[in-house]
């Protein structure tokens, strides 16, 4: 010990504890001989790489609120209504359709003329089932959980989202190759009409982008006239009825256009003249053939004219465990949109 103290610098002798083999006590970090290189050592200089600050992870927080990528809205069930029919075991569904008819004849005590009949038919629909898996590894989920992300929950949420997106689309467009039709393309629906031309600054225009408020309102009024003509004045189609006007998100803003003469918006005119009309929007009405606007009566003779039908909204199958992971299948089923009274619908394409 005495030899170490004698050989140590004066600063070290006054420092208290002396460690054997230390070459310099002037460096901020004492270095052991086994890690020194005598030919490169510089007294007083740092012996490690320059410090750039603490780890970035120590200065980073993860916001607890998850930002989700926005998806187009799913509006079919809101617009047309939605009901459960059957279950995933059923392949088809039949609807009873009854038509009363007959003929009267002049009365006579022994006159056998005159008759009444009830003609009964059945309308057929088929359902289609789809499936999707949520799958995760044990380590995979744990690593995301360590980062504050509820990974398994997000996987399950993704399955629910894609199944709901498919079901929503089936309500609008049905299922190709099956007797399952949508509210926009059911073959029993009346053919769409074309928008009425309007003259603006000497030019004839047809789209709502080009028309003024009066032109837009006239097209909607034309749709209502078509609806009245189709239903022959039946109860359920009057200006006070529960009518529904469906537009795309690209055309909904046209209802804010004003009438040049009275400075009244299309929306205000509709609320005044059709007080019980419900206005809805859905991106599915932007078709390849043009922008569509649809009008329908919610009820005819007290019966709903349309509803979206599903067999399974979200059927969760058993959880399958593997050595270090898991997966689960979920299933949805759709019959499409069931339109009971096609004559209660009218539409216009190309607005």
């Amino acid at each position: 010990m005495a030899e170490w103290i004698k050989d140590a610098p004066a600063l070290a002798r006054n420092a208290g504890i002396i460690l054997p083999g230390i070459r310099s006590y002037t460096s901020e970090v004492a270095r052991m001989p086994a890690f020194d290189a005598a030919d490169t050592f510089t007294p007083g200089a740092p012996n490690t790489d320059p410090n750039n600050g603490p780890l970035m992870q120590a200065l980073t927080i993860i916001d607890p609120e998850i930002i989700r990528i926005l998806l187009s809205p799913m509006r079919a069930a809101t617009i047309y209504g939605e009901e459960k029919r059957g279950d995933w075991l059923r392949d088809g569904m039949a609807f009873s359709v009854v038509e009363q008819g007959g003929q009267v004849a002049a009365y006579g005590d022994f006159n056998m003329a005159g008759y009444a009949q009830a003609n009964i038919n059945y309308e057929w629909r088929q359902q289609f089932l789809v499936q999707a898996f949520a799958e995760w590894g044990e380590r995979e989920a744990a690593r995301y959980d360590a980062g504050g992300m509820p990974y398994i929950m997000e996987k399950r949420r993704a399955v629910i989202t894609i199944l709901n997106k498919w079901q929503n689309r089936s309500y609008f467009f049905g299922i190709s190759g099956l007797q399952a039709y949508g509210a926009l393309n059911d073959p029993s629906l009346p053919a769409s009409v074309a928008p009425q031309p309007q003259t603006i600054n000497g030019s004839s225009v047809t789209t709502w982008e080009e028309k003024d408020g009066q032109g837009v309102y006239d097209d909607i009024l034309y749709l209502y006239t078509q609806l009245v003509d189709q239903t022959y004045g039946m109860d359920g189609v009057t200006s006070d009825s529960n009518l529904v006007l469906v537009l795309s998100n690209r055309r909904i803003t046209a209802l804010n256009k004003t009438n040049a003469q009275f400075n009244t918006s299309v929306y205000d005119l509709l609320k005044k003249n059709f007080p019980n009309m419900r206005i809805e929007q859905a991106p599915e009405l932007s078709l390849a053939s043009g922008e569509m606007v649809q009008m329908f009566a919610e009820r005819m003779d007290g019966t709903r004219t349309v509803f979206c039908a599903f067999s399974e909204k979200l059927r969760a199958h058993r959880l399958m465990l593997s050595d270090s992971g898991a997966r689960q299948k979920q299933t949805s089923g759709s019959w499409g949109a069931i339109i009971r009274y096609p004559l209660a619908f009218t539409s216009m394409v190309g607005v």
Side-chain angles (χ1 to χ4, degrees):
M1 177 72 74
E3 293 179 356
W4 297 338
I5 296 176
K6 179 181 65 176
D7 295 337
L11 178 62
R13 288 199 298 270
N14 297 328
I17 298 175
I18 305 300
L19 300 177
I22 299 301
R23 299 188 181 191
S24 173
Y25 288 88
T26 60
S27 172
E28 295 178 2
V29 181
R31 299 177 55 156
M32 297 298 294
F35 297 100
D36 282 345
D39 56 341
T40 60
F41 178 69
T42 303
N47 298 323
T48 58
D49 292 334
N51 182 12
N52 290 324
L55 289 172
M56 284 301 299
Q57 292 88 330
L59 302 178
T60 302
I61 65 168
I62 299 177
D63 191 278
E65 185 175 353
I66 298 174
I67 301 173
R68 304 188 187 281
I69 300 301
L70 299 178
L71 303 174
S72 58
M74 295 173 280
R75 301 283 299 162
T78 301
I79 296 171
Y80 305 108
E82 187 178 38
E83 298 179 17
K84 177 176 171 59
R85 287 292 188 273
D87 54 41
W88 72 320
L89 304 178
R90 315 301 166 181
D91 293 324
M93 175 168 50
F95 297 88
S96 303
V97 180
V98 181
E99 179 185 9
Q100 287 88 21
Q103 183 176 344
V104 299
Y107 175 78
D109 284 342
F110 300 99
N111 189 349
M112 300 300 294
Y115 66 94
Q117 66 178 15
N119 188 43
I120 301 174
N121 272 309
Y122 295 92
E123 187 68 24
W124 183 262
R125 289 293 183 271
Q126 294 173 285
Q127 79 151 317
F128 192 71
L129 294 167
V130 295
Q131 66 181 43
F133 279 92
E135 186 175 20
W136 59 90
E138 185 178 338
R139 183 171 184 265
E140 174 190 33
R143 284 165 63 89
Y144 275 106
D145 287 342
M149 176 64 66
Y151 188 63
I152 297 177
M153 184 193 76
E154 292 300 324
K155 278 279 186 125
R156 293 181 183 277
R157 187 186 182 108
V159 170
I160 294 170
T161 298
I162 61 174
L163 290 176
N164 281 340
K165 290 289 288 183
W166 171 82
Q167 205 165 58
N168 179 76
R169 187 163 183 82
S170 75
Y171 293 160
F172 279 110
F173 300 108
I175 299 150
S176 178
L178 294 181
Q179 288 178 288
Y181 309 115
L184 301 183
N185 67 349
D186 191 306
S188 64
L189 289 172
S192 296
V193 298
Q196 301 301 291
Q198 182 187 21
T199 301
I200 300 289
N201 297 325
S203 300
S204 179
V205 296
T206 56
T207 68
W208 285 10
E209 286 183 320
E210 302 167 305
K211 291 182 176 181
D212 60 16
Q214 186 62 52
V216 172
Y217 179 74
D218 287 345
D219 275 345
I220 297 174
L221 196 61
Y222 181 68
L223 276 178
Y224 173 69
T225 303
Q226 289 290 113
L227 200 58
V228 171
D229 290 344
Q230 289 171 192
T231 54
Y232 304 99
M234 295 178 184
D235 182 37
V237 182
T238 67
S239 59
D240 293 325
S241 298
N242 292 323
L243 304 177
V244 183
L245 183 69
V246 192
L247 310 95
S248 74
N249 53 301
R250 294 178 178 176
R251 288 295 179 265
I252 193 73
T253 56
L255 301 186
N256 294 324
K257 291 189 174 187
T258 58
N259 178 296
Q261 183 177 359
F262 302 106
N263 197 30
T264 304
S265 71
V266 178
Y267 182 83
D268 289 336
L269 288 172
L270 292 175
K271 284 301 179 184
K272 178 181 178 181
N273 297 314
F274 303 94
N276 296 313
M277 176 179 282
R278 179 162 56 93
I279 299 172
E280 299 284 355
Q281 62 174 317
E284 284 79 7
L285 275 81
S286 292
L287 305 175
S289 56
E291 295 291 324
M292 173 187 277
V293 56
Q294 183 185 62
M295 182 186 292
F296 67 93
E298 286 193 277
R299 292 184 177 274
M300 295 287 292
D301 196 27
T303 302
R304 287 190 64 92
T305 60
V306 59
F307 66 93
C308 302
F310 66 92
S311 60
E312 300 289 344
K313 196 68 176 173
L314 187 68
R315 184 180 186 88
H317 301 272
R318 63 182 179 273
L319 182 66
M320 302 296 294
L321 300 177
S322 62
D323 293 339
S324 59
R327 65 187 313 201
Q328 187 174 30
K329 180 195 291 186
Q330 296 189 348
T331 300
S332 290
S334 173
W335 304 94
I338 309 301
I339 298 179
R340 289 191 175 114
Y341 297 112
L343 77 169
F345 284 73
T346 186
S347 62
M348 181 179 289
V349 174
V351 298

